[in-house]
Amino acid sequence: MTHVTISDIAATLGISTAAVSYALNGRPGVSAATRQRVLDLVEEMAWKPDSTARSLRSRRSMAVGIALSRDPEEIAYEPFYSYIQAGIEQALAARGYSLMISRPGRRPGAELDVYRTWAAQRRVDGVILFDLLADDPRRGVLPELRLPFVEVTSEDAGPAPRVLVDDAADAANLVRHLADQGYRSLVHLSGPVELTHERLRADAIARTAAAFGLDVIHGVCRYTMEDGIRGFLEAFEEVGKGPTAAAGAPGRPLGVIASSDLLALGALRGAQRLELGVPNQVGVVSWDDSLPCRISNPPLTSLERRPIEMGRLAADLLLDRLDGRHRDLVRLPPSELTVRASSRRDASSGSHDAEGLLTSV
């Protein structure tokens, strides 16, 4: 039988569909013997409840939503959210849920309009939030809409259950690596500073760099390769005007921390334009690991942040909340640093000249 229904089970056993429903849901109204007969047949038929029927009985949509207020090109070329989405969908599928995604762009209020539509139409049972802002308006609107939510954030405070990412430890890991490799000044290419995680990253980088006696130039970018090129070129020019004017020379190598893989790839392109050797004159590290990081020339040192696990944990946290099992916090461990040739100045292969950078990307 390709698709078994409650009616099929009732007909096979010669009982009512109501009796089958009572047995499956653990409700009174059937004898212990009848309940066992139903459960035995369900196991024999490998029956699974129909998601539409479950939705009608529970008054749930059996869907979870995410809305990404990013520019389309960022979403299209940024692998990080593809990995997170894969983790979310894996966790949802295991519990009979589906994922609804909206990409409303950066228009003010567009993401909130998505949530209002979803709530009015009962399209989702809850949502997962990314890219938190200071005084984030979503935290006020979603409770009014009675839409449960969880956050994926670096901020260890707030009203909602959260998957907590240790960006401060990750920042210290990156700065320590560059200092150990002999880089004497740093450029930090971040995303928009209104994002809570970018502000926390910048603060942590500044604190750790100061402990190592390193100067930091902070450049603000969008999460695109083009902005990575622009940000690197502007920051390098600023470094050249300051007290570390010899940065980039063999005795004053410059380390670059990029807040995404696309920004890191852009920094490599910027070094190519200036004919700077990587890693001897400029070292580049990425906050995100991805396939482009591994196949770039030279390959990029990157943090493995386990985004698939991040998405899976966020989905489980939300579904537990929907089922009445409240957990406030899931803490991710610090990310692991994979050191590759873009910042390994003691590599046996020596430095990589700027000529030919990113030929495989």
Side-chain angles (χ1 to χ4, degrees):
M1 187 176 296
T2 58
H3 181 64
V4 181
T5 67
I6 287 180
S7 296
D8 295 325
I9 296 170
T12 301
L13 295 176
I15 60 177
S16 69
T17 56
V20 173
S21 178
Y22 293 155
L24 291 174
N25 290 288
R27 296 168 58 190
V30 294
S31 67
T34 298
R35 189 185 313 279
Q36 191 59 52
R37 289 175 63 206
V38 170
L39 296 177
D40 289 344
L41 183 59
V42 163
E43 182 176 359
E44 178 183 337
M45 291 180 163
W47 177 79
K48 294 183 180 180
D50 178 78
S51 60
T52 302
R54 288 177 61 195
S55 174
L56 291 173
R57 290 195 302 270
S58 65
R59 299 181 65 83
R60 291 187 182 181
S61 67
M62 305 306 295
V64 164
I66 59 175
L68 301 176
S69 295
R70 294 282 191 95
D71 293 331
E73 61 268 25
E74 291 180 6
I75 298 174
Y77 298 111
E78 169 63 72
F80 181 74
Y81 282 110
S82 296
Y83 295 147
I84 281 189
Q85 179 182 333
I88 292 173
E89 290 187 299
Q90 183 183 51
L92 295 182
R95 295 168 70 171
Y97 279 75
S98 59
L99 178 64
M100 181 168 292
I101 304 175
S102 177
R103 301 173 178 85
R106 292 187 180 275
R107 178 178 63 82
E111 185 173 336
L112 297 180
D113 289 342
V114 170
Y115 298 137
R116 292 187 181 100
T117 299
W118 283 349
Q121 299 176 357
R122 296 184 179 179
R123 302 288 296 278
V124 299
D125 299 317
V127 297
I128 301 173
L129 302 186
F130 301 95
D131 294 337
L132 273 293
L133 308 170
D135 300 321
D136 198 300
R138 294 173 292 183
R139 288 173 169 169
V141 170
L142 290 171
E144 293 176 359
L145 298 175
R146 298 183 179 180
L147 266 183
F149 65 97
V150 301
E151 301 172 354
V152 179
T153 180
S154 308
E155 190 177 20
D156 193 5
R162 65 199 55 238
V163 174
L164 187 65
V165 181
D166 198 343
D167 272 328
D170 289 348
N173 197 3
L174 292 172
V175 173
R176 186 180 303 111
H177 164 70
L178 291 172
D180 288 346
Q181 292 297 309
Y183 294 99
R184 297 292 181 259
S185 57
L186 302 179
V187 167
H188 174 207
L189 300 180
S190 82
V193 292
E194 61 266 24
L195 299 176
T196 298
H197 69 268
E198 289 293 7
R199 174 175 48 80
L200 294 173
R201 289 179 184 184
D203 291 345
I205 287 173
R207 286 195 309 270
T208 310
F212 281 97
L214 305 178
D215 296 321
V216 181
I217 298 295
H218 181 206
V220 179
C221 309
R222 296 188 310 147
Y223 296 108
T224 65
M225 185 183 295
E226 291 72 18
D227 246 32
I229 296 171
R230 176 196 59 78
F232 174 81
L233 295 176
E234 291 179 357
F236 191 83
E237 182 178 359
E238 185 174 349
V239 169
K241 295 176 181 177
T244 56
R252 296 289 302 180
L254 176 69
V256 179
I257 298 175
S259 270
S260 77
D261 46 4
L262 294 182
L263 288 175
L265 293 169
L268 286 181
R269 293 256 180 167
Q272 177 185 23
R273 290 189 183 182
L274 297 180
E275 299 183 352
L276 296 169
V278 178
N280 274 6
Q281 292 176 275
V282 174
V284 182
V285 298
S286 172
W287 216 288
D288 294 327
D289 197 11
S290 64
L291 179 59
C293 291
R294 298 164 203 165
I295 66 174
S296 65
N297 183 19
L300 275 161
T301 293
S302 306
L303 286 171
E304 173 47 63
R305 301 176 61 208
R306 298 177 288 274
I308 292 177
E309 180 183 0
M310 195 182 297
R312 186 166 55 242
L313 290 172
D316 280 334
L317 187 61
L318 179 58
L319 295 186
D320 284 351
R321 183 181 181 188
L322 294 177
D323 289 339
R325 297 190 297 274
H326 292 279
R327 293 184 293 150
D328 291 331
L329 178 67
V330 176
R331 189 183 299 272
L332 286 174
S335 306
E336 297 178 5
L337 183 66
T338 300
V339 179
R340 301 189 179 104
S342 69
S343 66
R344 191 171 52 226
R345 299 184 71 232
D346 57 354
S348 59
S349 58
S351 67
H352 293 248
D353 293 333
E355 182 179 358
L357 288 183
L358 298 177
T359 54
S360 55
V361 175

